[in-house]
């Protein structure tokens, strides 16, 4: 194959090298003895020990994980409801308006979303007293606002191509719509829900711009801490933290791949 498509293979390898070589270098330099991240001073794991003693960084990481998990769960619920409305009620009067509102966060710049949500939260606080300042609640609402759009697209695609004969048969046999949804529809769209949850979780963990607008004192997320520290110079602790995240994500992907492989093997 390499002899038939040498240029294509070389471009593919160059693309993968461009993506993964910086990650590999980050992992290697997380074990660097030197405080300078670009100068190798010998093998050491001391930065992992100092990372565990870095209270603000650990607190920010735990806060980001908490918000990301809550955001992903909330986005799954809202996104699934929106997808059901878009697929099952195509002839309703508000179908077009709902489709536009779902699509808007996908194409709108994050800085506009963050600024508009900040103005909304300030106006709501002046009128109703809630939310009282900016913090975890406002970050969660902001993240769920744009995350549910991605979940809606994923679940909508699965629902649009799903065979409804089983649902119709269950309804003909006397099952209530709610029971049909939890017994038949939900298991059939479970892969899309899992993909949407993981995507919403990743988007929340990765967000910096929107969180910067809607966060307040005591609610600093991990991307904000990392960005602030990088502006003053990259610390080897950041390399150690990134390596830990890469290890956890790689382990999760490996476990998911093994489960998927066993499921496919069982089905065949």
């Amino acid at each position: 194959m390499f002899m038939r498509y040498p240029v294509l293979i070389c471009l593919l390898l160059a693309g993968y090298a461009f993506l993964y070589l910086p990650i590999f270098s980050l992992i290697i330099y997380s074990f660097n003895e030197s405080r300078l991240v670009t100068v190798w001073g010998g093998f050491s794991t001391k930065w992992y020990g100092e990372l565990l003693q870095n209270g603000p960084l650990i607190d920010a990481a735990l806060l980001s994980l908490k918000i990301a998990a809550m955001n992903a769960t909330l986005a799954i619920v809202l996104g699934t409801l929106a997808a059901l409305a878009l697929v099952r009620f195509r002839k309703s009067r508000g179908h077009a308006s709902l489709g536009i509102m779902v699509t808007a966060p996908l194409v709108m710049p994050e800085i506009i979303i963050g600024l508009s949500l900040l103005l909304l939260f300030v106006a709501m606080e002046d009128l109703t007293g809630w939310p009282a300042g900016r913090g975890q609640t406002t970050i969660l609402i902001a993240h769920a606002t744009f995350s549910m759009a991605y979940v809606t697209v994923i679940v909508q695609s699965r629902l649009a191509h799903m065979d409804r004969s089983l649902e119709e048969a269950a309804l003909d046999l006397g099952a209530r719509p709610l029971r049909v949804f939890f017994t038949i529809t939900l298991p059939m769209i479970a892969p899309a829900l899992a993909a949407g949850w993981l995507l919403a979780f990743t988007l929340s963990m990765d967000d910096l711009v929107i969180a910067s607008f809607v966060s307040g004192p005591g609610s600093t997320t991990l991307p904000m801490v990392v960005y602030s520290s990088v502006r003053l110079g990259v610390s080897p602790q950041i390399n150690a933290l990134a390596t830990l995240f890469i290890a956890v994500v790689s382990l999760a992907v490996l476990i998911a791949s093994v489960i998927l492989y066993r499921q496919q093997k069982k089905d065949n």
Side-chain angles (χ1 to χ4, degrees):
M1 184 176 179
F2 180 78
M3 298 301 296
R4 295 178 60 183
Y5 308 102
V7 177
L8 181 61
I9 297 299
C10 290
L11 290 175
L12 181 63
L13 293 176
Y16 277 116
F18 181 80
L19 289 174
Y20 289 104
L21 282 180
I23 298 178
F24 289 145
S25 64
L26 181 147
I27 296 174
I28 293 173
Y29 277 98
S30 69
F31 298 98
N32 187 11
E33 173 72 24
S34 174
R35 183 173 293 274
L36 301 176
V37 294
T38 57
V39 178
W40 182 257
F43 181 85
S44 175
T45 59
K46 71 175 185 178
W47 300 115
Y48 289 89
E50 293 193 12
L51 173 64
L52 297 177
Q53 298 176 1
N54 191 331
L57 196 59
I58 297 299
D59 292 341
L62 293 176
L63 176 63
S64 293
L65 289 172
K66 176 183 176 182
I67 292 176
M70 295 172 63
N71 161 71
T73 304
L74 182 59
I76 281 293
V77 175
L78 298 177
T80 302
L81 294 176
L84 285 169
L86 289 173
V87 174
R88 302 292 172 84
F89 304 97
R90 296 181 182 274
K91 297 182 180 180
S92 60
R93 183 173 300 178
H95 181 272
S97 300
L98 179 60
I100 294 174
M101 288 189 292
V102 167
T103 308
L106 300 176
V107 298
M108 193 174 299
E110 289 187 348
I111 191 170
I112 295 179
I113 298 177
L115 180 59
S116 60
L117 288 173
L118 172 62
L119 297 176
L120 173 64
F121 292 142
V122 171
M124 290 176 58
E125 184 179 5
D126 292 338
L127 292 175
T128 65
W130 184 89
R134 262 64 67 198
Q136 299 183 31
T137 302
T138 54
I139 297 176
L140 176 61
I141 295 174
H143 284 184
T145 300
F146 71 88
S147 296
M148 66 168 289
Y150 293 88
V151 175
T152 301
V153 172
I154 295 174
V155 179
Q156 180 184 1
S157 176
R158 180 69 183 96
L159 286 171
H161 296 87
M162 190 180 71
D163 185 10
R164 297 194 59 187
S165 58
L166 291 177
E167 294 178 321
E168 295 172 353
L171 292 171
D172 291 339
L173 292 174
R176 296 184 179 274
L178 190 61
R179 183 177 180 84
V180 172
F181 174 78
F182 284 105
T183 306
I184 298 176
T185 308
L186 198 61
M188 294 181 69
I189 65 174
L193 296 179
W197 194 95
L198 292 173
L199 179 59
F201 184 91
T202 304
L203 290 171
S204 179
M205 285 292 298
D206 187 56
D207 176 65
L208 171 65
V209 178
I210 296 178
S212 300
F213 278 96
V214 299
S215 64
S219 59
T220 304
T221 60
L222 182 61
M224 297 170 63
V225 173
V226 172
Y227 178 71
S228 299
S229 62
V230 168
R231 293 176 62 186
L232 302 176
V234 180
S235 170
Q237 295 184 31
I238 302 299
N239 292 348
L241 178 66
T243 302
L244 292 177
F245 270 97
I246 293 171
V248 172
V249 171
S250 301
L251 181 61
V253 171
L254 179 61
I255 294 174
S257 300
V258 171
I259 295 175
L260 182 61
Y261 173 76
R262 290 181 177 179
Q263 185 65 35
Q264 290 177 348
K265 190 175 181 180
K266 185 185 297 184
D267 295 338
N268 295 332

